[in-house]
Amino acid sequence: MNTALRITAFTGGLAAAFGLALGVGHATGSGPAPKPAAAHAGHGGHEEKADGGGTEHLPGGLQVSERGYTLSVDNPFVTAGSPTDLRFRILGTDGKPVTAYQPQHEKELHLIVAPRDLSTFQHLHPTLTADGTWSAPTAVPAAGEYRVFADFTPAGASEGLTLGADLHAAGDLRPAPLPETGRTVTVDGYTVTLGGDLTPGRSGRLTLGVSKDGRPVTDLQPYLGAYGHLVALRAGDLAYLHVHPDTSAPGPEIGFTTTAPSTGDYRLFLDFKHQDTVHTAAFTLTTTAATEHAEEAGAHQH
C-alpha cells in the first residue's frame, strides 16, 4: 500500500498514509485477532526526477492513474444520504481490470472515502468479483465533493500504490470549515490523546493514547494486523498517507513515525479495536515551518 508521507517503521496495519476527522466511523471485526506483524516500512508513491537525479516521493491518492494502473469508478455521481453500491475497477497496464492482488494487512484492497472538507471518514473493505469489479455498500452523509482512495498491491508487483478519484454527491450543499479539535477527543466513551507533531520534510513521531473511564486501555485488540491504523489527509488537495504503528504493545499508547510532505493542516483518523468493536478518533493538526525550525535549533544545541 502506498503512502504519501514517509514512514520509518510500522507493525502491521494502521487503509497510510495521513494518514483524522471529528466525524467518527464504526466497523466491527469477527473471528480471532491476528498476531501483529513485525515492524516494516509503509506505503509511498514516487516518481523518477526528469534529470535522473534520484527518486522524488509524492503523496499518494493525488492521481487517478499511476505506474500504468487506473482507478475507474463506475458511477461517480451519488445522492447524499441514500445507500449506494460503490462499484469500481482497477485497470492494469493492458487496460483490462486487475483480478489478482497481494493481500496487505489482511485485505486485498483498502478503500477510504472522505469529503473535501474532511468532516467525515469511511474505511471500507469492498468485495471483488471474478471480472475484476470491486463493490462496497456505503452512503455519504452530506452533499459535496468526496475523494475515493484505493490502496492496494497488484499480484506480482514489488510495491503497492494508492489511487484517488472524485465522487460527487448531490443534495443540499452546506460547506463547512475544517473541524477544529484539541489534543484530546472523545469517541464512544473512549478518550484519545494525541502527542507529538508532524514535521515538514523531517521524520517525527506521533503518539495516541487511549483511555476509558479514566483508566488507560492496555488490552487493545489487533485490527487488520496491528493495534492501530492511522490515515492522514492533507487539507486542500487530500494528499493521503496510511501509516502503521512502530510499537507492538496493546496500548495504552500507540506510536507512529512519519514525515509530513509540507506545512499545512491535516486531518488524522485513528482506527483502534477494543472489546471486539472498531472505533475511529479524529484530530485536526497543523504543521508549520516554525515546527521544523524549532527542531533544527534543538539539534544544533546537541
Side-chain angles (χ1 to χ4, degrees):
M1 300 160 71
N2 271 357
T3 66
L5 309 175
R6 210 95 176 246
I7 306 159
T8 58
F10 105 10
T11 72
L14 184 202
F18 250 63
L20 300 179
L22 246 192
V24 174
H26 301 277
T28 57
S30 59
K35 182 179 179 180
H40 58 287
H43 330 292
H46 69 277
E47 68 177 13
E48 294 297 325
K49 292 182 179 179
D51 60 3
T55 298
E56 179 181 356
H57 287 266
L58 298 176
L62 296 181
Q63 303 179 96
V64 70
S65 294
E66 184 179 352
R67 302 206 307 266
Y69 294 92
T70 299
L71 171 58
S72 176
V73 178
D74 283 6
N75 183 10
F77 299 93
V78 299
T79 300
S82 298
T84 185
D85 188 22
L86 184 59
R87 296 166 61 87
F88 63 95
R89 294 168 297 157
I90 304 298
L91 304 181
T93 55
D94 58 0
K96 298 179 180 179
V98 177
T99 58
Y101 297 80
Q102 298 181 39
Q104 298 291 326
H105 318 303
E106 303 181 357
K107 299 293 181 179
E108 291 186 317
L109 185 145
H110 296 260
L111 186 71
I112 301 296
V113 180
R116 286 284 173 180
D117 64 8
L118 296 176
S119 58
T120 62
F121 170 85
Q122 297 182 58
H123 182 172
L124 309 174
H125 296 108
T127 57
L128 177 66
T129 60
D131 68 356
T133 299
W134 291 93
S135 63
T138 187
V140 296
E145 298 296 312
Y146 288 74
R147 192 71 173 170
V148 176
F149 302 93
D151 195 346
F152 62 94
T153 302
S158 60
E159 61 179 340
L161 67 161
T162 302
L163 300 180
D166 289 333
L167 188 67
H168 315 280
D172 182 14
L173 176 59
R174 302 189 180 188
L178 193 69
E180 294 184 5
T181 69
R183 288 281 179 155
T184 299
V185 300
T186 300
V187 52
D188 305 332
Y190 293 86
T191 298
V192 183
T193 301
L194 173 66
D197 286 294
L198 295 173
T199 307
R202 190 181 294 264
S203 178
R205 195 166 190 271
L206 297 173
T207 60
L208 292 116
V210 182
S211 63
K212 187 175 185 181
D213 300 326
R215 298 181 179 181
V217 175
T218 59
D219 58 344
L220 293 174
Q221 298 167 285
Y223 173 56
L224 300 176
Y227 288 116
H229 293 253
L230 182 66
V231 168
L233 297 172
R234 182 171 61 190
D237 61 2
L238 272 63
Y240 171 96
L241 174 67
H242 190 165
V243 201
H244 299 258
D246 57 19
T247 53
S248 58
E253 185 176 271
I254 314 168
F256 305 87
T257 303
T258 188
T259 301
S262 69
T263 60
D265 296 324
Y266 292 84
R267 286 289 280 169
L268 311 179
F269 300 88
L270 173 72
D271 287 341
F272 64 95
K273 185 176 181 180
H274 188 241
Q275 297 181 345
D276 299 325
T277 300
V278 176
H279 310 273
T280 303
F283 296 84
T284 296
L285 185 61
T286 299
T287 180
T288 65
T291 304
E292 183 176 9
H293 295 158
E295 190 166 291
E296 289 177 350
H300 289 315
Q301 290 177 0
H302 294 292

